Structures are given as structure tokens and as C-alpha cells.
Amino acid sequence: MACQVFKIVHKQSPAYIHDLIKVKSSTYSLRHEHKAEIPYVKTTRYGLKSFQYNGAHIWNSLPNEFRKVEDFATFKRLICIGKHQYADFVLIDLQATLSGCNQVSR
């Protein structure tokens, strides 16, 4: 999913999905740049399971060095190298998010 979000952020995906992930822009040099906007969801049943929400959440959980990369091949290499360190964190974080969906009363 991180690779798909990379392609969307860098406009390397089809044009009709460019609006799914929006990156916050700032004129200041901040520690956490290139963060995606987490969309407001109206329903916990479908909204928290959407590509927009999970894609932005996964993108933001990546280290800033990963998000700054401009080349897709380099990004993929970083993901493969860093997956032992970061993929477990992202997976645990995503599982916590999705389990929160199941805990909400219907």
C-alpha cells in the first residue's frame, strides 16, 4: 500500500486517483514534512477501512527520510531494507486501527 501511496503523492499513478491522498504543504522547514492529510471519516464501519484513510495513515507512519525520496526504485529499496525495522511497526499500528473499528458499537 505504501508503494501505491508513493505513486499517488508523486503523480505517477492514473490521474483519476490523484485526489485520494493529499499532502500537507508548508512554507516552513519542519521536522515532519511530507505528511498526508488524514481524511475525516463519517462512518467507522467503512470510513476507517477506506484506502484514503489507511493510505494516509501508513504514509504518515513512514520515517521522514522515506517520504522525502523522489525516485520510486529508491523508495522501494528503502521499504525492502527497512521493512524489518518499520513494517512490523506499520502492521501493528494498522492492526490497532482496524481493531478499533471492531470495538465501536454498531
Side-chain angles (χ1 to χ4, degrees):
M1 188 180 285
C3 291
Q4 286 291 24
V5 175
F6 177 90
K7 289 179 179 181
I8 291 170
V9 167
H10 293 285
K11 308 294 186 213
Q12 297 175 0
S13 61
Y16 62 89
I17 61 173
H18 286 176
D19 292 336
L20 290 179
I21 306 290
K22 293 182 178 28
V23 177
K24 297 177 189 176
S25 61
S26 175
T27 56
Y28 300 103
S29 178
L30 303 172
R31 278 184 280 158
H32 301 288
E33 295 176 295
H34 309 287
K35 289 260 188 175
E37 293 180 17
I38 303 286
Y40 173 76
V41 293
K42 294 180 183 177
T43 63
T44 56
R45 183 175 222 175
Y46 299 109
L48 293 178
K49 295 179 182 178
S50 70
F51 177 81
Q52 284 180 301
Y53 183 83
N54 286 317
H57 191 68
I58 287 173
W59 183 255
N60 290 345
S61 66
L62 290 173
N64 199 32
E65 297 80 30
F66 286 29
R67 293 190 308 261
K68 284 183 181 180
V69 173
E70 296 291 326
D71 181 48
F72 181 67
T74 306
F75 179 78
K76 251 177 108 170
R77 193 173 334 108
L78 282 173
I79 293 291
C80 289
I81 291 169
K83 75 178 174 182
H84 300 294
Q85 298 171 358
Y86 299 109
D88 291 337
F89 168 75
V90 171
L91 182 62
I92 290 168
D93 200 31
L94 181 60
Q95 286 174 344
T97 301
L98 293 177
S99 68
C101 297
N102 297 334
Q103 293 175 358
V104 176
S105 61
R106 295 180 183 146

